[in-house]
């Protein structure tokens, strides 16, 4: 998706904390083992502090062909303001799974619709309060995902977002 709004994109960095999201290294190894369908290089960067986040984003900013994936990781979610400010300062387009990143000024998000997750979980709470054992309830995965794009941020980054891409978005922030 970053490549859709930044045509010269050739490198993307997946940022996460290995203590709070250790599975991303295995995910990335599996991803890299697949036949490449794009010329975009994907690499991981482990971050565990504000300084490491700022250093990683500054490095990406020095390369005009890079973008950032802010992983779905509790640490990353809590550090979203630091990430957004560094990305703004170094003009790095950022995508996250969390809509909140975009509402607060990042470029875009694509991820589960958290409002839908909470709505659906209320049925589980109801069943449990009526006496059903939680162990008898089936596990569920998100089934509704949303794409949110911040045009103000795109403009600040000097990116133009095609109308066809905007038509895919569930929400466009202007």
């Amino acid at each position: 998706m970053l490549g859709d709004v930044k045509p010269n994109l050739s490198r993307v960095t997946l940022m996460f904390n290995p203590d709070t999201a250790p599975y991303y290294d295995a995910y990335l190894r599996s991803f890299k083992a697949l036949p490449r369908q794009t010329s975009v290089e994907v690499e991981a960067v482990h971050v565990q502090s504000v300084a490491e986040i700022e250093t990683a984003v500054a490095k990406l900013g020095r390369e005009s062909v890079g973008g950032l994936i802010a992983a779905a990781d509790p640490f990353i979610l809590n550090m979203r303001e630091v990430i957004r400010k560094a990305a703004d300062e170094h003009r790095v387009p950022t995508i996250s799974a969390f809509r909140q990143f975009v509402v607060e000024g990042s470029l875009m998000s694509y991820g589960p619709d958290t409002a839908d997750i909470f709505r659906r979980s209320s049925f589980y709470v109801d069943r449990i309060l009526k006496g059903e054992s939680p162990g008898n309830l089936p596990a569920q995965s998100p089934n509704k995902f949303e794409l949110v794009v911040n045009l103000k941020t795109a403009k600040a980054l000097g990116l133009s977002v095609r109308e066809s891409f905007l038509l895919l978005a569930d929400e466009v922030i202007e």
Side-chain angles (χ1 to χ4, degrees):
M1 288 186 192
L2 283 173
D4 282 330
V5 297
K6 186 169 181 155
N8 67 339
L9 186 76
S10 64
R11 190 163 137 210
V12 175
T13 298
L14 173 66
M15 178 184 285
F16 63 96
N17 182 326
D19 293 336
T20 55
Y23 43 84
Y24 276 114
D25 280 319
Y27 168 77
L28 199 52
R29 278 192 302 278
S30 297
F31 177 78
K32 287 183 174 185
L34 296 171
R36 289 182 72 168
Q37 296 183 13
T38 178
S39 61
V40 177
E41 179 186 328
V42 180
E43 67 178 30
V45 64
H46 297 169
V47 293
Q48 297 172 304
S49 68
V50 169
E52 289 176 346
I53 290 169
E54 290 171 343
T55 299
V57 175
K59 180 182 175 190
L60 263 174
R62 286 190 293 274
E63 305 167 7
S64 63
V65 294
L68 177 66
I69 301 171
D73 164 358
F75 174 79
I76 295 297
L77 180 60
N78 286 330
M79 299 302 288
R80 68 186 179 272
E81 183 177 348
V82 172
I83 294 166
R84 184 190 52 76
K85 284 181 179 179
D88 287 351
E89 179 182 342
H90 298 286
R91 300 180 52 78
V92 175
T94 304
I95 186 170
S96 172
F98 302 111
R99 178 184 181 282
Q100 194 60 31
F101 270 76
V102 184
V103 169
E104 293 173 3
S106 289
L107 179 61
M108 70 174 87
S109 66
Y110 181 73
D113 180 339
T114 53
D116 183 61
I117 291 171
F118 288 122
R119 218 177 356 269
R120 289 180 29 208
S121 68
S122 68
F123 295 108
Y124 274 55
V125 172
D126 180 58
R127 289 170 68 178
I128 292 167
L129 291 175
K130 289 180 178 173
E132 191 158 351
S133 170
N136 293 336
L137 298 174
Q140 290 191 16
S141 296
N143 60 12
K144 185 178 179 191
F145 293 80
E146 64 179 354
L147 171 62
V148 182
V149 179
N150 188 320
L151 285 180
K152 181 178 176 184
T153 301
K155 183 178 179 181
L157 292 170
L159 303 172
S160 59
V161 183
R162 290 178 293 116
E163 185 66 29
S164 59
F165 187 80
L166 291 176
L167 291 173
L168 297 173
D170 297 283
E171 182 178 356
V172 176
I173 297 172
E174 299 185 54

